[in-house]
Amino acid sequence: MHTKGIEKAYTAVKINKMFRYPLSVITALAIWVVCMIPIPETPLDDVSFIDKWTHFVMYGTLTAVIWVEYALRHKVVAWRRLTALGVVLPVVMGCAVELAQAYLTTCRSGDWIDALCNAMGVLLGAAIGGSVICYRQRG
């Protein structure tokens, strides 16, 4: 009985920490929604690799938001933790989204090149976020 109370408290703490980063959570949820719904045809469909550019921008934005939001919430940067949460987690999410598209939808298809574009976007977002953190630490 006592361990269940501890587990509930631990879970509540984890959830509370997650909501300390509301823009990151909202951005991640928005990506999940956009990636799982059918996308209507648009004039942008004629742009070469528009789907790949979209993945690149979405994950670059997500990662930059994570890093900047982290910088706003912490005076001292824990680089290992930030790298784990701000690089590894978005890359894993990108792969999970592609698997979900492949196996859980009928209107979308998973693509390993999309996952690669997601990862490249993550690297760009981390570079932008890291630059913001370095700028803030100097000033």
Side-chain angles (χ1 to χ4, degrees):
M1 179 92 172
H2 180 63
T3 56
K4 286 190 177 190
I6 292 172
E7 288 175 13
K8 285 182 181 179
Y10 181 71
T11 302
V13 168
K14 287 172 100 175
I15 290 171
N16 285 338
K17 282 187 178 184
M18 183 175 69
F19 286 112
R20 288 177 55 189
Y21 305 97
L23 295 176
S24 300
V25 171
I26 290 168
T27 305
L29 290 174
I31 289 172
W32 272 97
V33 169
V34 167
C35 288
M36 299 311 252
I37 62 173
I39 301 296
E41 289 187 30
T42 69
L44 290 176
D45 290 340
D46 296 333
V47 176
S48 296
F49 304 111
I50 188 64
D51 177 48
K52 308 312 176 215
W53 285 110
T54 303
H55 283 266
F56 181 78
V57 170
M58 284 192 309
Y59 282 86
T61 301
L62 171 63
T63 304
V65 167
I66 291 170
W67 282 62
V68 170
E69 202 165 30
Y70 181 91
L72 293 173
R73 305 259 185 281
H74 301 275
K75 290 181 181 178
V76 178
V77 176
W79 288 102
R80 283 187 183 176
R81 180 177 214 167
L82 182 56
T83 301
L85 297 175
V87 175
V88 176
L89 205 59
V91 169
V92 169
M93 180 182 134
C95 293
V97 165
E98 293 306 316
L99 289 171
Q101 286 179 334
Y103 296 108
L104 301 177
T105 68
T106 56
C107 60
R108 304 296 296 264
S109 61
D111 184 0
W112 70 270
I113 297 175
D114 286 351
L116 182 62
C117 290
N118 297 344
M120 291 183 350
V122 167
L123 293 177
L124 175 67
I128 292 169
S131 299
V132 169
I133 289 172
C134 288
Y135 180 78
R136 283 194 83 225
Q137 287 180 338
R138 286 187 184 157

